[in-house]
Each structure stands twice: as C-alpha cells, then as structure tokens.
Amino acid sequence: MRTHTFTQTLATVRNLGILAHVDAGKTTVTERILYATGTTHKRGEVHDGTTVTDFDPQERDRGITIFAAAVSCDWDGHRVNLIDTPGHVDFADEVERALRVLDGAVAVFDAVAGVEPQSESVWRQADRHGVPRIAFVNKLDRAGADLDRAVASIRERLHPVPLVVQLPIGAEDGFRGVVDLVRMRALLWADDGTRTVGDVPEDLRAEAVRRRRLLEEAVAELHAEALEEFCARGTVSPGTLTAALRGVTRTGEGVVVLCGSAYRNRGVEPLLDAVVAYLPSPLDVPPVHDTHDTQEQRPADPSAPFAGLAFKVSATPTGRLSYLRLYSGTIGKGDTVLDANAGRTDRIGRILRVQADRHAQVDRAVAGDIVAVVGLKSARAGSTLCAPEAPLLLEPPGVADPVVSVAVEARRSTDTDRLAGALARLAEEDPSLVVRTDPETGQTLLSGMGELHLEVAVERIRRETGLDVAVGRPRVSYRETVGGGVRGFVFRHVKQDGGAGQFAHIVLDVEPLEAGSGFEFRSAVVGGRVPQEYVRAVEAGCRDALGEGPLGGHPVTGVRVTLTDGATHVKDSSDTAFRTAGRLGLRDALRSCAMVLLEPVAEVTVTVPEDAVGTVLGDLAARRGRVSGSVTRAGAAVVTATVPLAELFGYATRLRSRTQGRGTFTTRPTGYAPAPATPANR
C-alpha cells in the first residue's frame, strides 16, 4: 500500500525548465505561473525588478536572468518544480546544468521574432539530454505577432513536427483568448485576468474545424492508436488525442504548440494544463545508471537506495547550499551520504524546499524531488551523492571550455589573499569560470563564456566582498592546428646520467584533421618493434605536448599522429622513456609543420532599424565579419554575420551609439577559424 501511495505521488510531480532566447518572456511566464497557482499574490514584473526568480541585484539591474532559479508550485493536484533558466548565451552553462536534471521543458518563443539564435542553442541542448518539450509562443499581443510564422520557424529551424493545439482569438492588441482545438472550446480572458470558457466564436468555427483536422492528421501520422481511430471513425476523440500528444511529446517526434501573452496573463492556465497532460513525471523517465556499469541502475523509487545529483552550488548568508535532484531513495535531516566523486561521506544538515531566494525547511526528500541541502562540504556541481552502502556514479553535466579571459588583481596588495578566496568560491559555484595563473606574466586570469559573463563575475566580487578589483582587457583563447603535416619524423630520446638510462626511438607522421576534431592517435607499427605498452606511453606523451603549440603556446587541436616505427633497448627502454619521447618528439614535429593559428568566432545576429543597415554592415566588415544573411521583419532588419570574438569587445556600446540606442544584438559561439598571422590579442 505504501509503495502504491509513493507511485501515485511520483506520478503527480513535474520537473521542468523554462527555456528561451533572451527577452522572449521566460521570467514573465514563470511569474504568471506562480501567480496562477496561488504561490504569489502579486504579479512580479521584470521592468520593475519585482520578480521572484530574478532576485539577484545584478539580474534586477540588467533586466535579464543570469542564474537558474528553482521554484515550486501546485496545479490541479500536481507539484510543479520549475527552473527559470538564463536566455543569454554567456550563461548557457547554467542551462546545461539545469537540463541535466529536468524531466521536461517549456520552450518560449517570441511571436514576432519566432526562433532566435539562442532559442536554437537551448533547443539543441535539450536534444542532447533527451528532454521532452512543449512550445509556448508568447507576446501575441505585440504589433507584428504572427503565430503561423513563428510555427513555421520552429519547423524550419528546429525540425520537430509542430502540433498546434490552439487558435488565437483576436490579433496583436486585440488578442483576447484562444480556441482549444483538442476540446473545441473558446478560452477568453478579461483585462482583470479572469477567464471564461465558452463556445467557439461563429466567425472562427470553420477555421477551427480546419485546424483541428490538420492536427488530427499530423498526430495520426506519428501515433499508432490515433491512426487506428482516425481510419476507423474519420476523427480522433479528445481523450485519444490527448494521450497521443503525450506519447509523441515523450518520444520527441512532435512538439505541442500553445500560444498566449504572459504579460497580459492570457494563456497561462492552458499552459499549466499542458505541462500536466503532456510532460513526463519522474516515473516516465528511464532509471539512471552508473557511468562505469550500465547494469547498475536506480529506478525512481523512494524505497530504493538513495542516488542524487548536485547540479548547482551557491554560497548564501545562511550557509553553503547544494541543489540536488533525487533520482531514487529518500534522504532525511542528519543522514550520512557518500560523495562518489570525492570518495568521502558528508552529513546532511538541513533539507530545504526552494522558492528562488526563499527556503522552507522540510524533514525529508524523496525520489523525484528537487531540493537544496545544507551541510555538504565536498559536493560540487556535478557531484553524485548516494547511499554509502550502495555507491553509484552518475554522469555529470558537461562544462563548456571558456573562450574569453581577463586579468584580475586587487588594487591593494593586502587584499590579494581575499581576492584569491573570492575567485575560488566563484569557480566552485560556476564550473564554466576558470581561474589560473599565467606562467609567463604571473597574472591571475579569470576565463569564462563571454564578456558579460566575466562582467557579472567581477561585479559579484565587488558587491559581496567590497574588494577594489582592477580588470585588464579581455583576451580570447586561441588554438593552434596543423595546416601541413610531416611524414617520417624521427626522434630519439637517449639519457644516461648514472643508474638506469632512458632510451626510446620513434617515427611519427603528423597530419591535419578537420577543424574541431580534437586529437587522434594511431599506431601502424608492425613486427612488435614497439610493444603495445610503450605505444600507449607514446600516445600519453603526445597528449602532453598538445598543451602548448609552437606559434604562441596555445593548445593544439585538429591533429592526427601516427606512430609508424620505432626501436627499443633491452635495459633502458621504459614507459617513462617513451612518454618523454612522445612529448618531445611531437613538440619538435609540430615545429616542422605548417601551423595555423585559430581564433574563436561567433554568429552575431544584429536587429536594427532599416535606415541603419548600411552603418551596421560597415562596422561588421571593419571587425572582420562575414555577413551570411539579412532579412526584414516587422519593419526592422535582422543581419546575421560570423565575427571573430576578439573583435566583439565593446560592440554593444558601439552599436547603441550608431543606432541611437535602437539596435540590439546576440551572439552564439560557433567554433574556431583561422586568424591573421599576428592578431592583436596574441
């Protein structure tokens, strides 16, 4: 009976994220969800700085989401654990960590702009994690809003089958409700937010019938039961249609599309109904498994051994918080858990139900919950926590390589240690921030995902510690690759300085790989001239050599090394000798290759008034940008170009000054491209 009760409880949990491009309305959607569910009694506004999830002072100052914030609410007998994620590309790592622990997501799109660059990026992130999604086309009350055009952009740029389940009633400023195509009814909202349910308006009846038919046909192509009923009866009942929509949402074959205006509080309740109806519960998600042993699995069962993943760590005035997603088992206050990554046990001090920056203490948490715990000293973002008697190691969220660096130092020498501590705490909370010391200059370098990312990090240090911090001009992370290789490069490592000597003889072929392909090592040695254990040592040595290239000490990528021949000595050959030969041999071989310097590039999407297009194109050309497209949308021109990241520093200020503050832009890293021979940042 108890297991049955737990199963019922888990079936009524929804763990979801809100994903979108910056300024598509994610935070407003979250605020309206909290208001509609009775969690808050006043609608928070981004422009007033009164939102629940954008609680950090910098988020309120800048008007954007920077940190993923978790909230919980109840709707129709279901508990909804919701994470409002950032939309700016510089904070994509926050989205990555959230998606790793979520069961579903709501992707929000601007009804005027449709799919924007960061919309596409977060959609691809969700694809990688296999997270089912529904789509909400927001801002239908704006001038130029067009649901059909937004749906077409979803189909063309994201490639799922869009299954539109609503028809707008009214357009732009006259938008006042939707037709529910599943149940064929009209939902209307008054200016005070009250909702009425009625019959489909007569002037929309024919269009609603046509769109309902298109929906049935699209679903029947994807779902066997819907197809069977459609062929037998010529139509699909609301119950079968709902079940089919839930099925194709789980498989990712289709995406349910709803619409509304979150700012005007229109369309939020049907969105919540869709979350409950179509997105999966923890019971619908496959059991998690050990990264080393896929047979070792944990189902979403509160009575199973405990297993959870820490996806976020933050320091607060009340202590260090570790945000956990529980996949199996139950934890209570005072329990001892094993940090599988660190190999040590910790004791759980308190368990908190999170409401953004407010917390409510609870006695325990069960499988399917997202909570914060106090007392874990070793846990980091990505740490697996489990029962000590049943260890398990889960796959951590991926961490992107930083692309921009700034030099930071305390203006007063007496504050150097305090600054080091503050930087260490930042890197602990945000794994996409990397702190290192330049071995040549001795400078402390802070690296991150973009200019804004680093600005926010430095501002946090200033606000939270009161330190006076000096910041140097950002520097981008270059790479080196092989443009033209060498064949038959011979290297002999011989060392005799008393005692056992070292001897290794290797012959290497070095050739380029496709850009972004990393490193590939092969052995073509025949006749056992180099034993297999020494081949592995040569590969390890070659990987050691990739850290610093011959052009400027930048990491080397896009290279294939083939060990073609070699020789050993009966007494003096060893793993150490061949690893050293691999490192020094490849280093010398690269000096003989035609090397190419690579710089990070980004896709820039600039939206400006049509009369400013010429100025913007000229400025992009001066920044070595390559324009790839230009379209006109709702009276504005949208220009897409690929620009070296080093040329984008300060671009926001330049764009505002050249367009009288009317121009906006977004960036999305797209990899590396050959750089000029002597770049300014080298």
Side-chain angles (χ1 to χ4, degrees), residues 538-606:
V538 173
E539 179 181 358
C542 289
R543 291 186 182 277
D544 294 341
L546 297 176
E548 295 184 5
L551 292 182
H554 310 293
V556 179
T557 186
V559 58
R560 176 190 289 126
V561 177
T562 305
L563 178 64
T564 61
D565 200 0
T568 62
H569 187 276
V570 176
K571 293 183 178 180
D572 292 344
S573 290
S574 63
D575 283 355
T576 301
F578 273 89
R579 181 163 186 161
T580 303
R583 184 181 75 253
L584 300 179
L586 180 55
R587 188 176 296 173
D588 287 354
L590 291 175
R591 293 193 183 101
S592 301
C593 294
M595 299 297 291
V596 177
L597 189 68
L598 301 175
E599 62 181 345
V601 295
E603 181 187 79
V604 182
T605 302
V606 188

Side-chain angles (χ1 to χ4, degrees), residues 236-276:
V236 182
S237 67
T240 302
L241 191 56
T242 299
L245 288 169
R246 180 175 173 83
V248 298
T249 298
R250 284 195 208 171
T251 62
E253 295 175 280
V255 57
V256 173
V257 181
L258 301 98
C259 61
S261 168
Y263 179 69
R264 293 197 178 186
N265 211 33
R266 295 173 183 175
V268 177
E269 296 94 336
L271 176 61
L272 281 164
D273 291 337
V275 165
V276 168

Side-chain angles (χ1 to χ4, degrees), residues 417-595:
D417 290 343
R418 288 181 60 204
L419 175 60
L423 289 170
R425 285 193 298 274
L426 271 183
E428 181 182 323
E429 292 186 23
D430 185 352
S432 61
L433 287 171
V434 175
V435 181
R436 62 187 177 88
T437 302
D438 189 314
E440 295 182 6
T441 65
Q443 289 180 307
T444 299
L445 300 180
L446 177 64
S447 304
M449 302 306 299
E451 197 173 0
L452 180 60
H453 189 203
L454 296 179
E455 280 182 20
V456 168
V458 172
E459 185 61 24
R460 279 194 66 189
I461 293 175
R462 288 172 175 154
R463 291 191 183 202
E464 294 175 9
T465 66
L467 288 172
D468 189 5
V469 181
V471 180
R473 187 179 188 275
R475 293 187 293 182
V476 300
S477 298
Y478 290 91
R479 297 287 185 269
E480 298 178 26
T481 191
V482 175
V486 295
R487 302 184 69 84
F489 187 88
V490 179
F491 185 85
R492 289 169 61 89
H493 173 62
V494 181
K495 185 178 180 182
Q496 290 288 349
D497 53 2
Q502 292 188 19
F503 177 88
H505 175 91
I506 58 175
V507 182
L508 303 176
D509 286 352
V510 181
E511 56 189 321
L513 282 176
E514 290 184 10
S517 300
F519 171 68
E520 183 180 309
F521 181 87
R522 299 189 304 189
S523 173
V525 178
V526 295
R529 291 176 61 79
V530 180
Q532 189 58 40
E533 61 268 25
Y534 293 164
V535 171
R536 288 193 292 268
V538 173
E539 179 181 358
C542 289
R543 291 186 182 277
D544 294 341
L546 297 176
E548 295 184 5
L551 292 182
H554 310 293
V556 179
T557 186
V559 58
R560 176 190 289 126
V561 177
T562 305
L563 178 64
T564 61
D565 200 0
T568 62
H569 187 276
V570 176
K571 293 183 178 180
D572 292 344
S573 290
S574 63
D575 283 355
T576 301
F578 273 89
R579 181 163 186 161
T580 303
R583 184 181 75 253
L584 300 179
L586 180 55
R587 188 176 296 173
D588 287 354
L590 291 175
R591 293 193 183 101
S592 301
C593 294
M595 299 297 291

Side-chain angles (χ1 to χ4, degrees), residues 159-229:
H159 310 300
V161 177
L163 304 169
V164 184
V165 298
Q166 292 178 341
L167 171 67
I169 301 175
E172 299 182 352
D173 195 50
F175 172 70
R176 55 196 179 92
V178 298
V179 174
D180 177 358
L181 297 177
V182 176
R183 295 174 179 80
M184 292 302 287
R185 58 181 184 170
L187 307 174
L188 298 170
W189 286 269
D191 290 339
D192 62 0
T194 56
R195 181 180 66 158
T196 57
V197 181
D199 296 331
V200 179
E202 192 63 36
D203 59 332
L204 288 177
R205 187 175 298 277
E207 180 64 11
V209 169
R210 184 184 75 84
R211 294 197 178 219
R212 165 63 186 249
R213 183 73 175 182
L214 291 174
L215 175 62
E216 291 176 345
E217 292 173 353
V219 171
E221 289 181 4
L222 301 172
H223 196 273
E225 290 182 18
L227 176 61
E228 185 178 336
E229 185 172 316

Side-chain angles (χ1 to χ4, degrees), residues 35-50:
Y35 182 73
T37 56
T39 307
T40 60
H41 303 290
K42 183 179 179 181
R43 289 177 288 186
E45 305 293 353
V46 173
H47 55 270
D48 291 337
T50 57

Side-chain angles (χ1 to χ4, degrees), residues 258-331:
L258 301 98
C259 61
S261 168
Y263 179 69
R264 293 197 178 186
N265 211 33
R266 295 173 183 175
V268 177
E269 296 94 336
L271 176 61
L272 281 164
D273 291 337
V275 165
V276 168
Y278 306 131
L279 291 181
S281 74
L283 290 175
D284 301 320
V285 178
V288 294
H289 59 80
D290 191 289
T291 54
H292 301 303
D293 181 7
T294 56
Q295 300 302 312
E296 181 67 30
Q297 297 184 338
R298 298 286 165 82
D301 182 356
S303 60
F306 163 64
L309 188 71
F311 65 95
K312 183 179 174 69
V313 174
S314 66
T316 70
T318 57
R320 187 173 182 271
L321 290 183
S322 301
Y323 291 79
L324 302 184
R325 162 67 194 266
L326 276 70
Y327 287 102
S328 68
T330 303
I331 54 171

